[in-house]
Amino acid sequence: MLFADDIVLIDEIRQGVNDKLARWRHSLESRGFRVSRSKTEYLHCCFSGRVEARGEVTLDERPIPKVDKFKYLGSIIQQNWDIDEDISHHIKVG
């Protein structure tokens, strides 16, 4: 069995992320893989300063849970761009 963790899809608008996620899911599932609906989550970071008022990220028309932080390739990424938790994590691990 093959597992892929820590995959990031990035776009400037939420609909772009939804489109990429749909293509990603279709491509994987057409080859016998599957996307875990229970483990998929998203983090919204507004680096451009452009704010989208409404909408959600969906997978098969079901909303994906939004989180304030997640671990990506050993680093903790936070929505508020804070790095304190990441530094603390690296100190504990190191």
Side-chain angles (χ1 to χ4, degrees):
M1 205 178 260
L2 179 65
F3 295 96
D5 291 335
D6 294 340
I7 295 173
V8 174
L9 301 175
I10 299 172
D11 204 293
E12 291 183 11
I13 59 173
R14 191 170 284 120
Q15 186 56 46
V17 172
N18 282 328
D19 294 343
K20 287 178 182 179
L21 185 56
R23 284 194 310 268
W24 182 260
R25 181 195 59 78
H26 175 71
S27 180
L28 287 172
E29 290 180 356
S30 69
R31 291 168 176 83
F33 297 95
R34 68 181 184 87
V35 176
S36 173
R37 273 86 173 149
S38 63
K39 293 182 180 180
T40 301
E41 56 191 24
Y42 83 96
L43 175 73
H44 176 253
C45 293
C46 188
F47 297 118
S48 67
R50 191 172 132 188
V51 178
E52 286 186 72
R54 296 184 263 147
E56 55 193 5
V57 177
T58 59
L59 182 59
D60 289 337
E61 299 179 15
R62 288 184 228 139
I64 294 176
K66 183 177 179 181
V67 296
D68 295 330
K69 63 183 174 187
F70 72 93
K71 194 177 200 180
Y72 179 69
L73 300 176
S75 293
I76 297 174
I77 313 292
Q78 293 179 251
Q79 181 180 13
N80 64 2
W81 307 355
D82 194 10
I83 62 169
D84 292 342
E85 193 164 337
D86 186 47
I87 292 170
S88 296
H89 170 72
H90 284 288
I91 291 169
K92 288 177 190 174
V93 172

